[in-house]
């Protein structure tokens, strides 16, 4: 008996369950897999032996489709990082024991950089200790689009579509009055500006509101931004300013820290930043004096199941199925990946990449994709981004409100929602 | 020659252009109307004689459909309030002169309480001065749902759908981790809690996250909220707290004003005015110490053309057509309105209401629709709200981004976008 275990990790995305659906689908169709388990709350659930049997779901295409458009890890997630086995191998040994006890021959972990670190360490430990009957592989996910070894990240396209759509709608707000108006939009992305760059996909499409786009890959200066806004307002009635939450000055001080002394650290020691937009709103009010409003897109940009990129959902699901294929052929320590094919028309091929290329690294926006003035992106960036937001995948509605798949209800009651 | 003039006023909604489309449609089909003019930026555009000829659009059903799903006043809006004619009748006289010069026999003003004040004053002035060849009527719009003389306001249903959908998605965020988690969502509506009440439409639909809903119709107490949250967290892993931007304590002090005493000092040493949600976030962090995040839905809740209530768009459009009918039969000083029919199945009839019942008044949430504890709404409220968000009206997409009708381009170039 050979079973497959899947778990989800890291922050929510709108496409992470499409990858889960792809994994369940591929596993159920394979004669190498007997049962499919899902772990409750990522690797934590593995350590606590909290498993849900997903085998039956696999043959229900309708549920898999609905799961694909359900945002935010259906199995639950965690930010738990395994201890370094050099310091403490007990967790690693415990996981291997549990896998053996549950006849788990394949483990697919869906997540971002940190989760790929877990895949890497587990694979390396197993190899070093001669554990040959378990294959651990990774499936990517992150709205941040900052993984190496893949053209773009599943979950990013839907977040980018949410951002571009929101900006397109805020343009309508700007055009409604006949007075100078600055709207500042703050996007997520701690260390990479990909999400913020997606604002550029709306520019020029609905009436010619100009954009200023500041990514965290360039040092930010409030003085320069004020100058840029003044210049744009000379010939335009209104303007959209898009900023990354992580913009910082040339000394590395986060602009958000100008607004508060507080700084929070998450489980991995990253500082949690938010509120750059609010600081800039005050600066515009004080120094330009025109109408200004800041909008923090916040959590909604990563869990908007009602506004999904069809391209993203399709690719995310196939990346899940591809991860199972990699696991079944024994590709331990590898991550399911995709490459963009050259040519005019957008297409991708599904492939794999060694986890060592992915784990604990962050792919930033290339400097050459930012304009010389540091307040916009180049055509190369637009060409890269545009295919990723194509198509509108619809979620299910019930009584006018999105109705999602609640996997945990299924485990308890046999019903999906 | 008898022409019809339409103008839009007040804050944006996602349905205000559906009403405009309904007006154009009805006017073009009537043999009593020769040309249809739209005023640039509301009554200001009237005073400046800035008119766009909309007659040709009227026979283009496709453009009217696209206009119906374009958010935020396509003609432009203003917040200009006419001076009291007792103090200064010159503006009124000027408007009448302009109307005569442009052969405008019918004027439909789309707006909220303030705009209905304009309709009222204009109608009264014309009547008092024997101007019998011009009929001024109102067409309602406001996301706030605070107009008297109408069962519910056009624009509100789409905003309510956006709010319920956003809450449904934030529930997925809450369920993703296995730790206590409070998400605070702040809705618009300074003086009435209708929008905040719409959060209740999501409760219980996607996995049983409980809600605490605080409307500005009851005095707010941070202590009581902390107590309510503590109680809910005893038996639930996470919770959504929905608050109106205008919540205030029993002395009438806005909760948002509590924030200026906190640590929000910007780079220039000025206090940053934050919303009520941010103040409550700090309070939960300090006094409960669990994971907490506040989300201000901000401008997006009133301009989300990608997430429209089909019921709202249909009703908004018919209210526009109905306004033209009222104008054509000489119903000066009246507002196009709708009544809910009694019975199990939701249906409305289109009617009219004297502007005096509407202007300068705000319809608040009835106390009996708020629960005794003041932290939720009753079944009557749900029954009232639910029909208003039914159906998903889709906007047009181009290259993955909403593509709206830009009326002003049309005036300049003859092209719609």
């Amino acid at each position: 008996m050979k079973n497959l275990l899947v778990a989800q990790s890291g922050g929510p995305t709108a496409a992470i369950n499409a990858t889960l659906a792809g994994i369940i689908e591929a596993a159920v169709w394979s004669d190498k897999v007997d049962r499919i388990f899902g772990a409750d709350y990522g690797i934590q659930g593995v350590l606590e032996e909290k498993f849900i049997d997903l085998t039956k779901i696999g043959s229900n295409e309708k549920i898999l489709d609905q799961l694909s458009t359900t945002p935010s890890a259906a199995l639950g997630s965690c930010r738990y990082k395994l201890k370094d086995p050099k310091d403490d191998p007990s967790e690693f040994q415990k996981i291997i024991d549990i896998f053996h006890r549950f006849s788990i021959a394949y483990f697919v972990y869906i997540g971002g950089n940190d989760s790929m670190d877990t895949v890497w360490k587990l694979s390396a430990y197993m190899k070093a200790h001669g554990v040959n009957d378990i294959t651990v592989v990774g499936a990517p996910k992150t709205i941040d689009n900052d993984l190496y070894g893949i053209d773009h990240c599943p979950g990013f396209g839907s977040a980018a579509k949410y951002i571009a759509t929101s900006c397109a709608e805020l343009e309508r707000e700007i055009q409604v009055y006949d007075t100078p108006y600055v709207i500042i939009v703050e996007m997520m992305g701690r260390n990479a500006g990909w999400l913020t760059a997606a604002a550029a996909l709306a520019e020029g499409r609905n009436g010619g509101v100009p954009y200023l786009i500041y990514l965290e890959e360039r040092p930010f200066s409030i003085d320069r931004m004020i100058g840029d806004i003044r210049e744009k307002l000379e010939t335009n009635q209104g303007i959209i300013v898009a900023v990354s939450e992580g913009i910082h000055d040339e000394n590395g001080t986060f602009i958000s820290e100008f607004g508060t002394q507080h700084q929070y650290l998450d489980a991995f020691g990253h500082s949690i930043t938010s509120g750059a937009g609010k600081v800039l709103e005050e600066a515009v009010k004080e120094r330009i004096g025109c109408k200004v409003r800041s909008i923090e897109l916040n959590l909604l940009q990563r869990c908007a199941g009602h506004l999904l990129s069809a391209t993203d959902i399709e690719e995310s699901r196939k990346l899940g199925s591809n991860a199972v294929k990699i696991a079944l052929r024994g590709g331990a320590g590898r991550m399911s990946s995709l490459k963009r094919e050259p040519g005019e028309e957008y297409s991708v091929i599904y492939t794999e990449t060694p986890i060592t290329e992915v784990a604990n690294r962050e792919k930033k926006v290339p400097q050459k994709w930012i304009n010389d003035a540091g307040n916009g992106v180049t055509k190369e960036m637009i060409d890269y981004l545009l295919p990723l937001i194509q198509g509108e995948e619809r979620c299910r509605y019930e009584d006018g409100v999105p109705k999602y798949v609640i996997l945990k209800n299924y485990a308890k009651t046999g019903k999906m929602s």
Side-chain angles (χ1 to χ4, degrees), chain A residues 90-389:
Chain A
S90 65
E91 282 179 338
F92 287 79
Q93 205 47 58
K94 188 173 177 186
I95 289 171
I96 291 167
D97 292 345
I98 292 168
F99 282 6
H100 281 151
R101 199 140 34 79
F102 283 84
S103 302
I104 291 163
Y106 314 104
F107 174 43
V108 186
Y109 206 28
I110 312 172
N113 334 45
D114 291 328
S115 317
M116 292 309 125
D117 176 74
T118 302
V119 173
W120 181 29
K121 283 192 182 139
L122 257 177
S123 298
Y125 185 87
M126 287 178 182
K127 197 176 172 188
H129 293 78
V131 180
N132 299 317
D133 54 351
I134 302 169
T135 306
V136 181
V137 304
K141 84 75 236 186
T142 173
I143 60 160
D144 293 336
N145 201 40
D146 61 352
L147 296 183
Y148 275 97
I150 188 164
D151 179 76
H152 57 275
C153 300
F156 171 69
S158 293
K161 190 180 186 82
Y162 182 89
I163 286 165
T165 297
S166 298
C167 288
E169 289 168 351
L170 291 170
E171 282 191 36
R172 297 287 314 133
E173 277 274 334
I174 280 184
Q175 290 170 21
V176 84
Y177 297 118
D178 192 17
T179 44
Y181 192 179
V182 177
I183 292 184
I184 298 162
V185 193
E186 180 188 327
M187 282 71 160
M188 279 185 165
R190 212 170 5 225
N191 293 310
W194 296 105
L195 286 169
T196 306
L201 298 175
E203 184 172 7
R205 293 186 182 273
N206 284 293
V209 173
Y211 283 50
L212 289 168
I213 298 174
Y214 301 100
L215 311 188
E216 51 218 357
E217 280 80 359
R218 289 274 173 91
F220 184 83
S221 146
I222 292 184
D223 286 346
R224 259 200 318 272
M225 179 199 73
I226 294 290
D228 288 348
I229 292 175
R230 281 210 172 101
E231 198 190 314
K232 293 278 184 195
L233 285 182
E234 274 172 26
T235 47
N236 295 279
Q237 170 256 322
I239 179 175
I240 286 190
V241 179
V243 296
S244 303
E245 62 176 330
I247 49 168
H248 47 77
D249 68 15
E250 51 194 7
N251 302 317
T253 306
F254 286 115
I255 300 305
S256 56
E257 285 175 37
F258 287 41
T260 169
Q261 308 306 319
H262 284 210
Q263 194 176 326
Y264 303 96
L265 298 181
D266 71 8
F268 293 92
H270 304 131
S271 66
I272 296 174
T273 59
S274 69
K278 201 79 195 164
V279 172
L280 300 182
E281 178 184 330
E282 291 300 316
V284 171
K285 204 179 284 168
E286 168 78 17
R287 295 175 58 182
I288 299 183
C290 70
K291 185 172 175 173
V292 55
R293 197 135 182 181
S294 69
I295 317 268
E296 196 183 341
L297 291 187
N298 219 317
L299 305 178
L300 293 164
Q301 70 199 287
R302 69 182 187 187
C303 63
H306 76 278
L307 182 57
L308 301 165
S309 155
T311 304
D312 183 30
I313 296 302
E314 187 195 330
E315 290 178 352
S316 298
R317 192 154 166 174
K318 287 186 176 159
L319 279 164
S321 298
N322 189 51
V324 173
K325 279 185 211 155
I326 297 166
L328 296 185
R329 67 169 175 255
R334 302 183 87 79
M335 183 184 82
S336 176
S337 181
L338 55 75
K339 272 185 188 156
R340 193 185 299 229
E341 293 274 79
E344 274 289 290
E345 208 178 320
Y346 174 76
S347 70
V348 295
I349 49 163
Y350 295 88
T351 174
E352 58 185 71
T353 195
I355 289 281
T356 44
E357 280 184 25
V358 185
N360 300 315
R361 299 171 67 199
E362 284 161 342
K363 186 167 74 180
K364 294 186 181 286
V365 171
Q367 287 294 329
K368 63 179 179 187
W369 286 6
I370 302 172
N371 70 10
D372 292 341
N375 60 19
V377 299
T378 64
K379 189 180 171 301
E380 285 84 353
M381 174 65 101
I382 303 280
D383 291 345
Y384 168 83
L385 293 173
L386 199 56
L388 313 183
I389 66 162

